[in-house]
């Protein structure tokens, strides 16, 4: 398809009250792989953001009046539509972000699971009974609660999983009886629009779902609008902190960055560990907040493990994301590639050694394994968000535990071991949101409460957790 044809068929639209809305000047969205025009977009302006919030507040009232069984059915219908449109969704995602076509199809499949799980959660929402007979003040009274929608929710979505992360915000918001405005990532505007239309075409009220396009300024305006009752954000720690400040007393879920700690202990099955880490460290070109980045390997198995990991990394195929045999596509843009390449080069200048990879062709970066890294290096202490794994040897499990704890970043920590005592020690002492036994930091089934601690986030994201977070508990005391 030529650029002209793409321009005529792939204009990404803002959606407010069910209608396509024009924004500012037309901007092209180019493929990270070859620079061709994948779509076009017209970013929203301040007036359109304010209009979207006003409509969403009306939509929230409509959703609050909708019975749970109707919300459930509409979500199931939306999932069916998304499943029927999988080819268009995954193809557009691949074209806009250069995520491999295999990973793009996987992402759509995961989103279908999330929608259907949220549909079930919509009819499970229930309050509780609190016994009051334990005090003289409460004696003779009864307290029961119910959960009500929070109102108008804003969801700000990143480029690395735009369908599934939109789904993790939109589906629970609707399941709980809220409205939502989604701010799509600038790199995948048409992808998110196609996905949003599955929900609107399923029959959700037009006012209940809005879509805005644009960059930081649109996200800032949306987060700062007092008409928004709840914020759900996925992105960098710096941007997340800005969202938290804007939220003030309003509720929020922040899913931020990490440095992907994973430990391979002396008793690990190194073949299993190497295969899992080669996938989790390099898939999606390392563009995941939980991608394996800091890899701690016990001295007793380090040589044998390194040999296996290097062989597996070297066998991965980089290239055209549309090709079904491609394992790793490019990073999102040249600026990101420049940053990653510069960090690798700086690490090498300061004593690190490249075991495999370290090369670049445009936005394609070879899967890279570094050894002899030091804790102060940027490739270690800062989120790399690229296909780079820093291998670090240890002899005492206390050393990786201490380092991980000191980062104040914590999504998941993977630990390959069959030792109950080792896994319990890590679980007790590492302040990440989860510790994964015989798995990597990337572990995330979509029903799992996912999120971070410290600089890595606030709150948990899953169908059950998000639906509840986007609800307000209200008590009735009976005498």
């Amino acid at each position: 398809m030529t650029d002209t044809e793409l321009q005529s068929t792939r204009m990404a639209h803002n959606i407010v009250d069910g209608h396509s809305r024009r924004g500012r000047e037309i901007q092209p969205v180019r493929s990270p792989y070859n620079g061709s025009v994948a779509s076009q977009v017209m970013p929203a302006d301040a007036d359109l953001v304010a209009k979207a919030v006003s409509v969403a507040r009306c939509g929230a009232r409509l959703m609050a009046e909708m019975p749970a069984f109707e919300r459930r059915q509409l979500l199931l219908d939306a999932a069916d539509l998304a499943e029927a449109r999988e080819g268009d969704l995954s193809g557009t995602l691949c074209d806009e972000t250069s995520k491999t076509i295999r990973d793009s199809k996987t992402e759509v499949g995961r989103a279908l699971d999330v929608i259907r799980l949220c549909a079930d959660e919509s009819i499970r929402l229930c309050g509780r009974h609190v016994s009051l007979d334990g005090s003289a003040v409460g004696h003779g009274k009864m307290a029961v609660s119910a959960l009500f929608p929070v109102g108008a929710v804003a969801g700000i979505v990143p480029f690395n999983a735009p369908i599934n992360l939109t789904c993790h915000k939109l589906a629970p918001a609707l399941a709980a009886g809220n409205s939502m405005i989604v701010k799509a990532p600038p790199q995948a505007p048409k992808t998110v629009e196609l996905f949003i239309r599955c929900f609107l075409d399923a029959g959700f009220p037009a006012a209940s779902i809005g879509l805005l396009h644009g960059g930081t300024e649109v996200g800032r305006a949306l987060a700062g609008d007092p008409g928004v009752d709840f914020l759900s954000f996925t992105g960098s720690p710096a941007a997340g902190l800005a969202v938290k400040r804007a939220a003030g007393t309003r509720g929020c879920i922040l899913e931020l960055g990490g440095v992907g700690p994973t430990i391979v202990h002396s008793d690990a099955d190194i073949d299993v560990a190497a295969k899992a880490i080669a996938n989790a460290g390099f898939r999606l070109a390392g563009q995941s907040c939980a991608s394996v980045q800091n890899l701690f390997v016990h001295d007793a198995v380090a040589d044998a493990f390194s040999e296996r990991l290097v062989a597996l990394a070297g066998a991965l195929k980089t290239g055209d994301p549309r090709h079904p045999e491609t394992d790793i596509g490019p990073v999102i843009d040249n600026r990101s590639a420049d940053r990653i390449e510069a960090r690798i080069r700086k690490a090498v200048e300061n004593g690190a050694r490249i075991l495999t990879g370290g090369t670049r062709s445009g936005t394609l970066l070879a899967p890279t394994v570094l050894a002899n890294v030091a804790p102060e290096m940027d490739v270690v202490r800062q989120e790399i968000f690229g296909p780079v794994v820093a291998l670090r040897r240890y002899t005492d499990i206390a050393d990786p535990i201490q380092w991980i704890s000191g980062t104040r970043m914590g999504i998941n920590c993977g630990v390959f071991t069959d030792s109950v005592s080792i896994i319990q020690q890590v679980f007790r002492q590492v302040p990440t949101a989860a510790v994964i036994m015989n798995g990597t930091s990337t572990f995330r089934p979509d029903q799992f409460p996912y999120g971070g601690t410290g600089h890595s986030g606030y709150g948990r994201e899953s169908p059950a957790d998000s639906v509840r977070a986007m609800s307000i508990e209200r008590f009735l005391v009976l005498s």
Side-chain angles (χ1 to χ4, degrees):
M1 182 178 285
T2 65
D3 283 2
T4 301
E5 290 171 323
L6 280 169
Q7 290 172 13
S8 66
T9 58
R10 282 191 175 172
M11 171 64 77
H13 301 94
N14 299 286
I15 302 174
V16 177
D17 207 11
H19 301 292
S20 298
R21 303 284 183 152
R22 296 179 66 86
R24 293 179 278 125
E25 74 282 356
I26 296 174
Q27 297 177 0
V29 178
R30 296 192 175 275
S31 160
Y33 175 64
N34 58 22
S36 63
V37 177
S39 63
Q40 292 189 111
V41 65
M42 297 181 71
D45 56 21
D47 289 342
L48 191 55
V49 173
K51 175 66 175 176
V53 174
S54 176
V55 170
R57 294 199 65 78
C58 296
R61 290 191 288 273
L62 294 174
M63 288 299 296
E65 294 170 359
M66 184 183 294
F69 72 88
E70 290 186 12
R71 299 198 301 268
R72 178 178 184 273
Q73 189 57 56
L74 289 177
L75 284 165
L76 293 174
D77 292 345
D80 290 344
L81 282 176
E83 187 169 23
R85 299 171 185 179
E86 181 274 327
D88 200 12
L89 288 166
S90 61
T92 305
L93 173 59
C94 179
D95 290 342
E96 286 191 322
T97 69
S98 288
K99 176 174 284 194
T100 66
I101 192 64
R102 278 188 292 158
D103 286 332
S104 295
K105 290 177 181 292
T106 297
E107 181 170 337
V108 176
R110 288 181 62 183
L112 300 179
D113 289 342
V114 174
I115 301 171
R116 289 165 178 153
L117 288 165
C118 287
D120 291 340
E121 292 299 331
S122 68
I123 57 173
R124 291 177 183 156
L125 271 178
C126 59
R128 54 182 169 151
H129 163 241
V130 178
S131 175
L132 297 180
D133 206 38
S135 69
V137 173
H139 176 65
K141 298 179 174 61
M142 181 176 68
V144 294
S145 73
L147 296 178
F148 295 86
V150 71
V153 180
I156 301 176
V157 181
F159 73 83
N160 59 327
I163 293 176
N164 199 32
L165 292 179
T166 292
C167 195
H168 267 289
K169 301 176 190 318
L170 177 60
L174 298 174
N178 301 296
S179 64
M180 170 163 268
I181 307 163
V182 174
K183 206 288 282 183
Q187 302 90 341
K190 191 62 181 179
T191 298
V192 176
E193 183 198 343
L194 292 173
F195 187 60
I196 292 290
R197 290 197 182 279
C198 295
F199 291 82
L200 290 170
D201 292 348
F204 278 100
S208 68
I209 305 172
L211 173 63
L212 297 172
H213 297 296
T216 303
E217 70 287 351
V218 175
R220 186 182 297 116
L222 183 59
D225 195 305
V228 171
D229 298 299
F230 189 97
L231 295 159
S232 179
F233 172 86
T234 303
S236 72
L241 181 59
V243 170
K244 186 68 175 70
R245 286 170 176 161
T249 57
R250 295 175 291 172
C252 62
I253 298 173
L254 305 176
E255 200 270 281
L256 310 178
V259 287
T262 296
I263 300 169
V264 179
H265 198 54
S266 57
D267 66 332
D269 184 325
I270 60 174
D271 289 319
V272 170
K275 288 176 183 177
I277 290 163
N279 177 62
F282 304 121
R283 191 177 63 87
L284 312 179
Q287 295 173 122
S288 165
C289 57
S291 181
V292 176
Q293 178 179 335
N294 282 278
L295 176 60
F296 300 89
V297 184
H298 194 280
D299 264 330
V301 295
D303 291 337
F305 174 84
S306 299
E307 183 179 342
R308 287 164 172 76
L309 180 61
V310 166
L312 290 166
L316 293 170
K317 295 181 180 179
T318 61
D320 185 349
R322 274 282 187 177
H323 197 289
E325 293 185 4
T326 298
D327 298 304
I328 302 171
V331 294
I332 195 64
D333 53 32
N334 275 301
R335 185 170 148 189
S336 294
D338 289 343
R339 173 182 52 79
I340 297 163
E341 184 182 41
R343 288 190 184 176
I344 295 171
R345 184 171 58 249
K346 184 178 178 182
V348 171
E349 289 171 354
N350 286 281
R353 183 163 56 94
I354 296 174
L355 300 184
T356 188
T359 59
R360 172 188 175 186
S361 176
T363 51
L364 287 168
L365 290 144
T368 300
V369 179
L370 297 174
N372 297 346
V373 295
E376 66 273 9
M377 291 179 177
D378 288 346
V379 293
V380 169
R381 65 185 183 86
Q382 295 182 9
E383 184 177 42
I384 190 74
F385 221 66
V388 180
V389 172
L391 192 153
R392 309 166 65 181
R393 292 174 176 249
Y394 74 94
T395 55
D396 186 340
I397 191 67
D399 293 335
I401 289 175
Q402 182 179 15
W403 185 86
I404 296 165
S405 301
T407 65
R408 300 189 67 192
M409 301 180 79
I411 300 178
N412 292 339
C413 176
V415 188
F416 286 88
T417 182
D418 286 330
S419 168
V420 173
S421 62
I422 289 294
I423 200 69
Q424 285 185 335
Q425 184 179 356
V426 175
F427 181 57
R428 289 194 305 268
Q429 297 178 9
V430 170
T432 53
V435 173
I436 315 300
M437 183 175 183
N438 290 322
T440 73
S441 59
T442 315
F443 179 83
R444 186 185 185 179
D446 288 290
Q447 70 272 34
F448 181 72
Y450 183 80
T453 60
H455 298 314
S456 290
Y458 180 86
R460 295 294 178 266
E461 201 170 59
S462 78
D465 290 87
S466 297
V467 167
R468 196 165 190 90
M470 295 177 186
S471 304
I472 296 174
E473 185 176 30
R474 188 181 304 160
F475 277 92
L476 172 64
V477 178
L478 301 172
S479 298

